[in-house]
Every structure is written in structure tokens, then in C-alpha cells.
Amino acid sequence: MKRIFSGVQPTGDLHLGNYLGAIRNWVRLQDDYDCLFCVVDMHAITVWQDPAQLTASTREVAAAMLAAGVDPARHIIFNQSQVSGHAELAWILNCVARLGWLNRMTQFKEKAGKHRENASVGLYAYPNLMAADILLYKATHVPVGEDQKQHLELARDIAQKFNSDTGVDLFPIVEPLIFGTATRVMSLRDGTAKMSKSDPSGYSRINMTDSADDIAKKIRKAKTDPEPLPESPAGFEGRPEAANLMGIYAALSDTTIDDVCSRFGGGQFSAFKQDLSDLAVSVLDPIDTEMRRLLADTAYVDGVLRQGAERARALAAPVLREVQDTIGFLHP
Ligand code: AMP
Ligand code: TRP
């Protein structure tokens, strides 16, 4: 059986990178896999979260998954903290992963910055919890954006070490699914920096809930260069902003970068930006409308998460028991 697990943190507004790099791909994979899509609230608290905001963001991410087209009847949508097996398996995997492995994680280095001594232990152990998320369900495939590749390699190393330490072929070796033309959407203010929820500038990202006016304004103000648009991807050399905006266009219109270059190459940014913002609005606006409709009914969204968690617990229970037996834990 092919099973997918993926997650998004409820830590602020979802943006175009989350949509194109992750959520849209999930929607496209749901016919071929059994899927678990998780709002990873336990990962979120590795840095401080305002409690009321965390609750609101958890519902918002769930609503975004639903609005983008994930089917909660066929697949599981839930928030991580409702299934205690994540924390239980994470502890066991904390004892499998090596300090040296975690020390190499670039996301920790970026997030902890100069204040490493002051970062939470949870932020450091974050990738072990992520491995637990996936392995708790013996998921085989994990669709994510490019930035999560290193964490998935770590999950593979952890699974392999657990299997070889115990001599039991318990965990599958997970395959990352990183595909599409927008696996790494960059900031609108700087084509060399990832579009991210934590960028202090709101103009750096397009949020899934931005109004048509906001989207137009942000794209109009997006950084460019003085040259005409390149006629082929070879012309992206040294022009990260052109590469990013044309890549976004390709992803939103479901065409290739080559197509976008042949259509807009030689033209000016100003005309292209107008087309890009119309396109972005046409894709995001219906999702935003549906999200708002869903969020007006928190009882419905909470019900989806509760039922999802129940189904997730049923899938996790036998795996957790198998792990406990394998390492010699007595259990009920
Ligand atoms: P996060 O916002 O860190 O919870 O990420 C949720 C999902 O969105 C993960 O699969 C990320 O890899 C993906 N993602 C986040 N930012 C970007 C980006 N700028 N471009 C493409 N994918 C992204
Ligand atoms: N770390 C991922 C991110 O920030 C979110 C995540 C947590 C995840 N657990 C996961 C993604 C398991 C895939 C599988 O983007």
C-alpha cells in the first residue's frame, strides 16, 4: 500500500509557497494514495505561539486544505496534538537519532540563528518529531517543498538505524515527493530568499487569504531588474527575480517555464506583472472564498479534525504496539 503523510505548521498566514510547493500537490496525489494531512501544532510550539492565535491558525490551515480540495471523506485531516502517538514515538526516535545528525540540520541553524543557546530543545529535536509523524503510520511517500528535503533524509536515516539496531524490518524507507515547477517559491522582495511565513515584510509573500487588491499591489511592487524578460530559462542566470516570477506564472497556469518564456520573453515586466496578478487572483480567489465560508463554521472544521484524529489514532495504534514490542516495552 502506498501511504502519504504530510504536514503544515499553523504558524501564521499560509502563502503561495505553501500552496504551490505543498498543498496543491496533495490535492493532485489524493487519487493515487491513502493520505494523512496534518496540521503540525506540536512543531509550531518549538517557537513561542500565542495560544489563541495557535487555535485560530490550526483551523485556518485545516480550512485551507479543505478549500484547496482535499477530500476529508477519503483522506485524513487532523491536528497532530490530538494523536498522542506522535509524542510517544518521537521520544523513542530521540533515542535513535544522533546529535551529530541533528547538528547538520540547516533549518535549525537558520531558525536558531546567533541565539543557539537560547533556542528550545524542541526546536533542536524538531526533525525527530517529523520522522515520528511519518513513521507512526508507516507512510511511504511524503510530498513537500524543496526546503524539507534534508529533514526527510534524516527520517530515512532514523528508520534505517531503528531497523538495523533492532534487527526488525519495521519502518519503510520514505520517499520524498518534490515535484512541480514551484518546489521553492522565492520572496517577492528578494529572489534569493525563500518565501516564508516568518519574513517580517508582508510584501515578500502572497498569502492565500490576500484580497485581489493586495495581490495586485504586492506583485506590482515585486522586485525586478531593468532588462526585458528572458526568452528562455538560460536567461535566468543572475536574474533570480525574473526566474521566480516566471516560475510562479508557470506553476499557477500549469504550463512549463519554457512556455512562459516564449510567451513573455522580450516583453516588459510591467505588462507581465499585470497578467501574473490576474492569474494569481483567478487561482487564489475561489480558495479564499471557500476558506472564509468554512471558517465561519468552526464546529464543522473542528469536527473534521476530530474525526480525522480518531481515524489516525486507529492507524497509529498497531504500529506503536509493534514498536513497543520490538524495543521491549511492556504495554497493556
Ligand atoms: P511550513 O510553512 O514550513 O509549515 O511548510 C509547509 C509546506 O510548504 C512544506 O511542505 C514546505 O516544504 C512547503 N513550503 C514552504 N515554503 C515554501 C516555498 N517558499 N516554496 C515551496 N514550498 C514551500
Ligand atoms: N517540517 C515541515 C515544514 O515545516 C512540516 C512537517 C511536520 C512535515 N511533520 C511533517 C512535513 C511530516 C512532512 C511530513 O514544512
Side-chain angles (χ1 to χ4, degrees):
M1 183 203 40
K2 297 192 296 178
R3 178 176 286 163
I4 276 180
F5 186 99
S6 197
V8 181
Q9 300 189 66
T11 49
D13 292 325
L14 289 171
H15 53 71
L16 195 59
N18 297 132
Y19 179 64
L20 295 176
I23 297 174
R24 186 174 73 162
N25 290 345
W26 302 357
V27 175
R28 294 176 176 191
L29 289 162
Q30 60 180 341
D31 291 334
D32 300 320
Y33 295 83
D34 284 335
C35 304
L36 293 111
F37 297 122
C38 189
V39 187
V40 290
D41 47 7
M42 290 161 63
H43 278 105
I45 62 161
T46 55
V47 297
W48 169 253
Q49 303 296 329
D50 173 76
Q53 191 55 51
L54 182 64
T55 308
S57 294
T58 299
R59 292 185 175 125
E60 218 172 279
V61 172
M65 293 178 190
L66 294 166
V70 175
D71 177 357
R74 283 190 296 152
H75 302 287
I76 295 174
I77 297 178
F78 71 111
N79 61 307
Q80 189 182 27
S81 62
Q82 288 205 52
V83 181
S84 60
H86 291 256
E88 292 177 58
L89 184 58
W91 178 259
I92 294 167
L93 300 187
N94 280 344
C95 303
V96 175
R98 307 287 95 182
L99 285 177
W101 300 357
L102 291 177
N103 285 337
R104 286 196 287 274
M105 295 296 114
T106 54
Q107 186 170 299
F108 175 75
K109 290 181 201 163
E110 277 164 22
K111 286 201 177 175
K114 292 190 196 75
H115 311 290
R116 196 170 187 277
E117 296 296 313
N118 210 18
S120 74
V121 175
L123 188 67
Y124 186 69
Y126 178 114
N128 296 344
L129 176 59
M130 180 163 161
D133 296 341
I134 300 162
L135 298 176
L136 185 59
Y137 306 98
K138 295 192 180 182
T140 52
H141 294 79
V142 182
V144 283
E146 182 72 36
D147 61 335
Q148 295 303 311
K149 208 169 156 189
Q150 193 184 36
H151 286 157
L152 291 182
E153 276 157 18
L154 185 86
R156 290 163 68 105
D157 289 343
I158 292 175
Q160 238 147 14
K161 181 162 165 59
F162 182 95
N163 289 351
S164 78
D165 285 353
T166 59
V168 179
D169 196 19
L170 202 154
F171 292 127
I173 306 307
V174 298
E175 289 294 333
L177 294 175
I178 301 174
F179 65 92
T181 37
T183 56
R184 190 170 169 82
V185 177
M186 308 308 276
S187 157
L188 299 181
R189 308 299 293 163
D190 173 1
T192 63
K194 189 182 74 166
M195 183 178 286
S196 124
K197 291 171 185 160
S198 53
D199 192 316
S201 166
Y203 279 101
S204 69
R205 63 183 162 264
I206 294 174
N207 294 325
M208 288 178 71
T209 49
D210 277 346
S211 68
D213 280 353
D214 284 339
I215 292 174
K217 206 184 314 161
K218 289 178 182 183
I219 292 179
R220 221 172 22 247
K221 284 185 180 275
K223 186 175 172 199
T224 54
D225 59 48
E227 304 297 316
L229 291 164
E231 288 170 31
S232 84
F236 289 146
E237 188 64 35
R239 304 184 65 190
E241 284 81 20
N244 188 39
L245 294 177
M246 291 175 97
I248 291 173
Y249 192 101
L252 284 171
S253 61
D254 258 325
T255 50
T256 63
I257 307 240
D258 286 291
D259 285 341
V260 178
C261 287
S262 49
R263 178 159 167 213
F264 293 99
Q268 296 304 314
F269 272 104
S270 51
F272 169 71
K273 280 179 162 182
Q274 183 60 52
D275 278 28
L276 178 60
S277 82
D278 291 347
L279 175 63
V281 169
S282 74
V283 173
L284 295 178
D285 204 40
I287 301 176
D288 174 44
T289 305
E290 179 62 4
M291 265 178 84
R292 283 177 205 280
R293 193 186 69 80
L294 289 163
L295 288 171
D297 186 359
T298 51
Y300 172 75
V301 175
D302 292 2
V304 168
L305 293 172
R306 196 173 46 248
Q307 285 164 24
E310 223 167 88
R311 288 155 67 196
R313 276 194 291 271
L315 294 177
V319 180
L320 207 51
R321 258 197 309 277
E322 206 184 340
V323 171
Q324 290 165 335
D325 283 337
T326 302
I327 57 182
F329 282 177
L330 283 172
H331 59 81

